[in-house]
Coordinates of all heavy atoms in Angstrom, one line a residue:
V1 N 10.9 -10.5 1.1 CA 9.5 -10.9 1.5 C 8.9 -9.7 2.2 O 9.5 -8.7 2.6 CB 9.5 -12.1 2.5 CG1 10.1 -13.3 1.8 CG2 10.3 -11.8 3.8
L2 N 7.6 -9.8 2.4 CA 6.8 -8.8 3.1 C 6.5 -9.4 4.5 O 5.8 -10.4 4.6 CB 5.5 -8.5 2.4 CG 4.6 -7.4 3.0 CD1 5.3 -6.1 3.3 CD2 3.4 -7.2 2.1
L3 N 7.1 -8.8 5.5 CA 6.9 -9.3 6.9 C 5.8 -8.5 7.6 O 5.9 -7.3 7.8 CB 8.2 -9.2 7.7 CG 8.1 -9.6 9.2 CD1 7.8 -11.1 9.3 CD2 9.5 -9.3 9.8
L4 N 4.7 -9.1 7.9 CA 3.5 -8.5 8.5 C 3.6 -8.4 10.0 O 4.3 -9.2 10.7 CB 2.2 -9.2 8.1 CG 2.0 -9.2 6.6 CD1 0.6 -9.9 6.3 CD2 2.0 -7.8 6.0
S5 N 2.9 -7.5 10.7 CA 3.0 -7.3 12.1 C 2.4 -8.5 12.9 O 2.7 -8.7 14.0 CB 2.2 -6.1 12.5 OG 0.9 -6.1 12.0
D6 N 1.6 -9.4 12.2 CA 1.1 -10.6 12.9 C 2.0 -11.8 12.7 O 1.7 -12.9 13.1 CB -0.3 -10.9 12.4 CG -0.4 -11.2 10.9 OD1 0.7 -11.2 10.2 OD2 -1.5 -11.4 10.3
G7 N 3.2 -11.6 12.1 CA 4.2 -12.6 11.9 C 4.1 -13.3 10.6 O 5.0 -14.1 10.2
K8 N 3.1 -13.0 9.8 CA 2.9 -13.7 8.5 C 4.0 -13.1 7.5 O 4.3 -11.9 7.5 CB 1.5 -13.4 7.9 CG 1.2 -14.0 6.6 CD -0.2 -13.6 6.1 CE -0.5 -14.2 4.7 NZ -1.9 -13.7 4.3
R9 N 4.5 -14.0 6.7 CA 5.4 -13.6 5.6 C 4.8 -13.9 4.3 O 4.2 -15.0 4.0 CB 6.7 -14.4 5.7 CG 7.6 -14.0 6.9 CD 8.8 -15.0 7.1 NE 9.6 -14.6 8.2 CZ 10.7 -13.8 8.1 NH1 11.1 -13.4 6.9 NH2 11.4 -13.5 9.2
I10 N 4.9 -12.9 3.4 CA 4.4 -13.1 2.0 C 5.6 -12.9 1.1 O 6.3 -11.9 1.2 CB 3.3 -12.0 1.7 CG1 2.1 -12.2 2.7 CG2 2.8 -12.2 0.3 CD1 1.1 -11.1 2.5
G11 N 5.7 -13.8 0.1 CA 6.8 -13.7 -0.8 C 6.3 -14.0 -2.2 O 5.3 -14.6 -2.4
H12 N 7.1 -13.6 -3.2 CA 6.8 -13.9 -4.6 C 6.8 -15.4 -4.9 O 6.1 -16.0 -5.7 CB 7.7 -13.2 -5.6 CG 7.5 -11.8 -5.7 ND1 6.2 -11.3 -6.0 CD2 8.3 -10.7 -5.7 CE1 6.3 -9.9 -6.1 NE2 7.5 -9.6 -5.9
T13 N 7.7 -16.1 -4.2 CA 8.0 -17.5 -4.6 C 7.1 -18.5 -4.0 O 7.0 -19.6 -4.4 CB 9.5 -17.9 -4.2 OG1 9.6 -17.7 -2.7 CG2 10.5 -17.0 -4.9
N14 N 6.4 -18.2 -2.9 CA 5.6 -19.2 -2.2 C 4.1 -18.9 -2.2 O 3.3 -19.4 -1.4 CB 6.0 -19.3 -0.7 CG 5.9 -18.1 0.1 OD1 5.5 -17.0 -0.5 ND2 6.3 -18.1 1.3
N15 N 3.7 -18.1 -3.2 CA 2.2 -17.7 -3.2 C 1.8 -17.8 -4.7 O 2.4 -17.4 -5.6 CB 2.0 -16.3 -2.7 CG 2.1 -16.2 -1.2 OD1 1.3 -16.5 -0.5 ND2 3.3 -15.7 -0.8
S16 N 0.6 -18.4 -4.9 CA -0.1 -18.4 -6.2 C -1.4 -17.7 -6.0 O -2.0 -17.7 -4.9 CB -0.3 -19.8 -6.7 OG -1.0 -20.6 -5.7
P17 N -1.9 -17.1 -7.0 CA -3.2 -16.3 -6.9 C -4.3 -17.2 -6.4 O -4.6 -18.2 -6.9 CB -3.4 -15.8 -8.3 CG -2.1 -15.8 -9.0 CD -1.4 -17.0 -8.4
V18 N -4.9 -16.7 -5.3 CA -6.1 -17.4 -4.7 C -7.3 -16.4 -4.6 O -8.4 -16.9 -4.2 CB -5.8 -18.0 -3.3 CG1 -4.7 -19.0 -3.5 CG2 -5.3 -16.9 -2.4
G19 N -7.1 -15.1 -4.9 CA -8.2 -14.2 -4.7 C -8.3 -13.3 -6.0 O -7.4 -13.3 -6.8
N20 N -9.4 -12.6 -6.1 CA -9.6 -11.8 -7.3 C -9.5 -10.3 -6.9 O -9.8 -9.9 -5.8 CB -11.1 -12.0 -7.8 CG -11.2 -13.4 -8.4 OD1 -10.3 -14.0 -8.9 ND2 -12.5 -13.9 -8.4
N21 N -9.1 -9.5 -7.9 CA -9.2 -8.0 -7.9 C -8.5 -7.4 -6.7 O -9.1 -6.6 -5.9 CB -10.7 -7.7 -7.8 CG -11.5 -8.2 -9.0 OD1 -11.0 -8.5 -10.1 ND2 -12.8 -8.5 -8.8
G22 N -7.2 -7.7 -6.6 CA -6.4 -7.0 -5.6 C -5.9 -5.7 -6.0 O -5.4 -5.6 -7.2
V23 N -6.0 -4.7 -5.2 CA -5.5 -3.3 -5.5 C -4.7 -2.8 -4.3 O -5.1 -2.9 -3.2 CB -6.6 -2.4 -5.8 CG1 -6.1 -1.0 -6.1 CG2 -7.6 -2.9 -6.9
I24 N -3.5 -2.2 -4.6 CA -2.7 -1.5 -3.6 C -2.7 0.0 -4.0 O -2.2 0.3 -5.1 CB -1.3 -2.0 -3.5 CG1 -1.3 -3.5 -2.9 CG2 -0.5 -1.1 -2.5 CD1 -1.8 -3.6 -1.5
L25 N -3.1 0.8 -3.2 CA -2.9 2.3 -3.3 C -1.5 2.6 -2.7 O -1.3 2.4 -1.5 CB -4.0 3.1 -2.6 CG -5.4 3.1 -3.2 CD1 -6.4 3.7 -2.2 CD2 -5.3 4.0 -4.4
L26 N -0.6 3.1 -3.6 CA 0.8 3.3 -3.2 C 1.0 4.8 -3.2 O 1.1 5.4 -4.3 CB 1.7 2.6 -4.2 CG 3.2 2.7 -3.9 CD1 3.6 2.2 -2.5 CD2 4.0 2.0 -5.0
I27 N 1.1 5.4 -2.0 CA 1.2 6.9 -1.9 C 2.6 7.3 -1.5 O 3.1 6.9 -0.5 CB 0.2 7.3 -0.8 CG1 -1.2 6.7 -1.0 CG2 0.1 8.9 -0.7 CD1 -1.9 7.1 -2.3
D28 N 3.1 8.3 -2.3 CA 4.4 8.9 -2.0 C 4.1 9.8 -0.7 O 3.3 10.7 -0.7 CB 4.8 9.8 -3.2 CG 6.0 10.6 -3.0 OD1 6.6 10.6 -1.9 OD2 6.5 11.2 -4.0
C29 N 4.9 9.6 0.3 CA 4.7 10.4 1.5 C 6.0 11.1 1.9 O 6.3 11.4 3.0 CB 4.2 9.5 2.7 SG 5.4 8.3 3.3
S30 N 6.9 11.3 0.9 CA 8.1 12.1 1.1 C 7.8 13.5 1.5 O 6.7 14.0 1.4 CB 8.9 12.1 -0.2 OG 8.2 12.7 -1.3
Q31 N 8.8 14.2 2.0 CA 8.6 15.5 2.6 C 8.0 16.5 1.6 O 7.1 17.4 2.0 CB 9.9 16.1 3.0 CG 9.8 17.5 3.8 CD 8.9 17.4 5.0 OE1 9.0 16.5 5.8 NE2 8.0 18.3 5.1
S32 N 8.3 16.4 0.3 CA 7.7 17.3 -0.7 C 6.2 17.1 -0.9 O 5.6 18.0 -1.5 CB 8.5 17.1 -2.0 OG 8.3 15.8 -2.5
M33 N 5.6 16.1 -0.4 CA 4.2 15.9 -0.5 C 3.4 16.5 0.6 O 2.2 16.5 0.6 CB 3.9 14.4 -0.5 CG 4.2 13.6 -1.8 SD 3.0 14.0 -3.1 CE 1.5 13.2 -2.5
A34 N 4.1 17.2 1.5 CA 3.4 17.8 2.7 C 2.4 18.8 2.3 O 2.6 19.5 1.2 CB 4.5 18.4 3.7
G35 N 1.4 19.0 3.0 CA 0.4 20.1 2.8 C -0.8 19.6 1.9 O -1.3 18.5 2.1
D36 N -1.1 20.4 1.0 CA -2.3 20.2 0.2 C -2.2 18.9 -0.6 O -3.2 18.2 -0.8 CB -2.6 21.3 -0.7 CG -4.0 21.2 -1.4 OD1 -5.0 20.8 -0.7 OD2 -4.2 21.6 -2.5
K37 N -1.0 18.6 -1.1 CA -0.8 17.4 -1.9 C -1.2 16.1 -1.2 O -1.9 15.3 -1.6 CB 0.6 17.3 -2.5 CG 0.9 18.3 -3.6 CD 2.3 18.1 -4.1 CE 3.3 18.8 -3.3 NZ 4.6 18.9 -3.9
I38 N -0.7 16.0 0.1 CA -1.0 14.7 0.8 C -2.4 14.7 1.3 O -3.1 13.7 1.3 CB 0.0 14.5 2.0 CG1 0.0 13.1 2.4 CG2 -0.3 15.5 3.1 CD1 0.5 12.1 1.4
R39 N -3.0 15.9 1.6 CA -4.4 16.0 2.0 C -5.3 15.5 0.8 O -6.2 14.7 1.1 CB -4.8 17.4 2.4 CG -4.2 17.8 3.8 CD -4.9 19.0 4.3 NE -4.5 20.2 3.5 CZ -3.4 21.0 3.8 NH1 -2.7 20.7 4.9 NH2 -3.1 22.0 3.1
Q40 N -5.0 16.0 -0.4 CA -5.8 15.5 -1.5 C -5.5 14.0 -1.8 O -6.5 13.3 -2.2 CB -5.4 16.4 -2.7 CG -6.0 17.8 -2.7 CD -6.0 18.4 -4.0 OE1 -6.3 17.8 -5.0 NE2 -5.8 19.7 -4.1
A41 N -4.3 13.6 -1.7 CA -4.0 12.2 -1.9 C -4.8 11.3 -0.9 O -5.4 10.3 -1.3 CB -2.5 11.9 -1.8
M42 N -4.9 11.7 0.3 CA -5.6 10.9 1.3 C -7.1 11.0 1.1 O -7.8 9.9 1.1 CB -5.3 11.5 2.7 CG -3.8 11.2 3.1 SD -3.3 12.2 4.6 CE -4.3 11.4 5.9
A43 N -7.6 12.1 0.7 CA -9.1 12.2 0.4 C -9.4 11.4 -0.8 O -10.4 10.7 -0.9 CB -9.5 13.7 0.2
G44 N -8.6 11.5 -1.9 CA -8.8 10.8 -3.1 C -8.7 9.3 -2.9 O -9.5 8.5 -3.4
A45 N -7.8 8.8 -2.0 CA -7.6 7.4 -1.7 C -8.9 6.9 -1.0 O -9.3 5.7 -1.3 CB -6.4 7.2 -0.8
T46 N -9.4 7.6 -0.1 CA -10.7 7.2 0.6 C -11.8 7.0 -0.4 O -12.5 6.0 -0.4 CB -11.0 8.2 1.7 OG1 -10.0 8.2 2.6 CG2 -12.3 7.7 2.4
E47 N -12.0 8.0 -1.3 CA -13.0 7.9 -2.3 C -12.8 6.7 -3.2 O -13.7 6.0 -3.6 CB -13.1 9.2 -3.1 CG -13.6 10.4 -2.3 CD -13.6 11.7 -3.2 OE1 -14.0 11.6 -4.4 OE2 -13.2 12.8 -2.7

């Protein structure tokens, strides 16, 4: 499950779609992304 900081739990088994057009930006932040790569990823994510 996904445990949120507010105590809410989200799981595959207890949720059905109730909203439209959900998007998750999933950014690799491993050490090799340091420098220009992560700066561009962050700027592109904002845009």
Side-chain angles (χ1 to χ4, degrees):
V1 299
L2 180 56
L3 179 61
L4 302 181
S5 55
D6 62 3
K8 180 180 178 183
R9 289 174 179 263
I10 301 173
H12 284 311
T13 59
N14 60 359
N15 290 278
S16 56
V18 295
N20 292 332
N21 304 332
V23 181
I24 295 291
L25 285 168
L26 181 58
I27 310 296
D28 180 351
C29 66
S30 60
Q31 184 58 47
S32 60
M33 282 287 290
D36 192 37
K37 284 182 282 188
I38 201 64
R39 285 192 292 270
Q40 288 199 36
M42 293 166 69
T46 298
E47 292 180 40

